[in-house]
Amino acid sequence: MLTDLPNVLTISRIVAIPIVVLFAAWGSPQTDALACFLFILAGVTDYFDGKLARSRHQLSDFGRMFDSIADKLLVGACLMVLAGLGRMAYFSLWPAIIILCREILVSGMREYLAERRASLPVTRLAKWKTGFQMTAIGFQLAGDGTGVLLGMPWLPVALIGAVLLWIAAALTLITGWDYLTTGLRHVNLS
């Protein structure tokens, strides 16, 4: 099971986390570009692991559990390193907090609902949220130094990342509310 390609891709996302964080912490234009590139590769594995698992009939409990954990670890670690190193503008901290809180909320609800034999399926809008979120974090990791490195010093890479992060946060609130109302239907409030 751990040698199935979809599970290897999931594990590779977890393995990539300390490397992305190290490159981001190094803080040179070259390492920022490497952090962004590795983050993009990790994001691509998120797309392919599920697609391959379904097409190859290699669905597993390991994959179902660790796919979402790997995503949350990668996103959380990157947002924390960017915030902790002051590489995220102050106004970008709010969407980062919204995103992290929603991830914790949804994880907790999924765990609770699993005990009740209920599920919280991923919506199309949640997939869009993930796309904006991953793109925003990639831009934030790249930073303006990567624009200079690529010969585009006029490109406001960090600002683009900040704007995309706010869009992701708005989608996060919408999908979080949808998940919360869906989850609460399965909760006995008495």
Side-chain angles (χ1 to χ4, degrees):
M1 174 172 61
L2 293 179
T3 58
D4 292 345
L5 183 57
N7 289 336
V8 170
L9 292 175
T10 298
I11 293 167
S12 74
R13 265 198 318 285
I14 296 170
V15 170
I17 294 168
I19 302 167
V20 171
V21 167
L22 180 65
F23 284 152
W26 195 282
S28 74
Q30 294 81 4
T31 58
D32 288 349
L34 286 171
C36 175
F37 179 72
L38 189 55
F39 181 81
I40 290 168
L41 284 178
V44 169
T45 68
D46 181 32
Y47 172 76
F48 282 110
D49 62 3
K51 191 172 203 63
L52 287 170
R54 285 184 294 278
S55 70
R56 294 177 172 203
H57 305 290
Q58 293 178 327
L59 298 170
S60 67
D61 288 340
F62 178 89
R64 274 187 286 281
M65 179 173 70
F66 276 97
D67 178 54
S68 126
I69 290 171
D71 298 342
K72 287 165 183 37
L73 289 174
L74 180 64
V75 166
C78 288
L79 289 174
M80 286 191 286
V81 76
L82 289 165
L85 295 174
R87 297 207 24 218
M88 184 181 286
Y90 176 76
F91 68 91
S92 295
L93 291 176
W94 295 106
I97 291 167
I98 290 168
I99 289 167
L100 289 174
C101 287
R102 182 255 192 207
E103 296 301 334
I104 293 166
L105 172 75
V106 171
S107 293
M109 285 193 316
R110 281 202 168 110
E111 183 179 336
Y112 173 81
L113 292 174
E115 293 173 5
R116 301 234 180 255
R117 303 272 191 246
S119 67
L120 204 56
V122 177
T123 65
R124 182 174 300 253
L125 189 58
K127 290 182 181 195
W128 276 95
K129 182 269 314 173
T130 299
F132 273 99
Q133 176 180 288
M134 299 302 258
T135 304
I137 293 170
F139 271 85
Q140 293 281 299
L141 287 168
D144 292 333
T146 300
V148 173
L149 185 68
L150 296 174
M152 297 182 283
W154 46 265
L155 186 65
V157 177
L159 179 61
I160 292 169
V163 168
L164 292 172
L165 200 61
W166 274 101
I167 294 169
L171 294 173
T172 292
L173 287 172
I174 294 166
T175 59
W177 179 256
D178 286 346
Y179 284 144
L180 180 62
T181 56
T182 300
L184 287 176
R185 289 186 204 129
H186 299 281
V187 175
N188 183 1
L189 297 175
S190 56

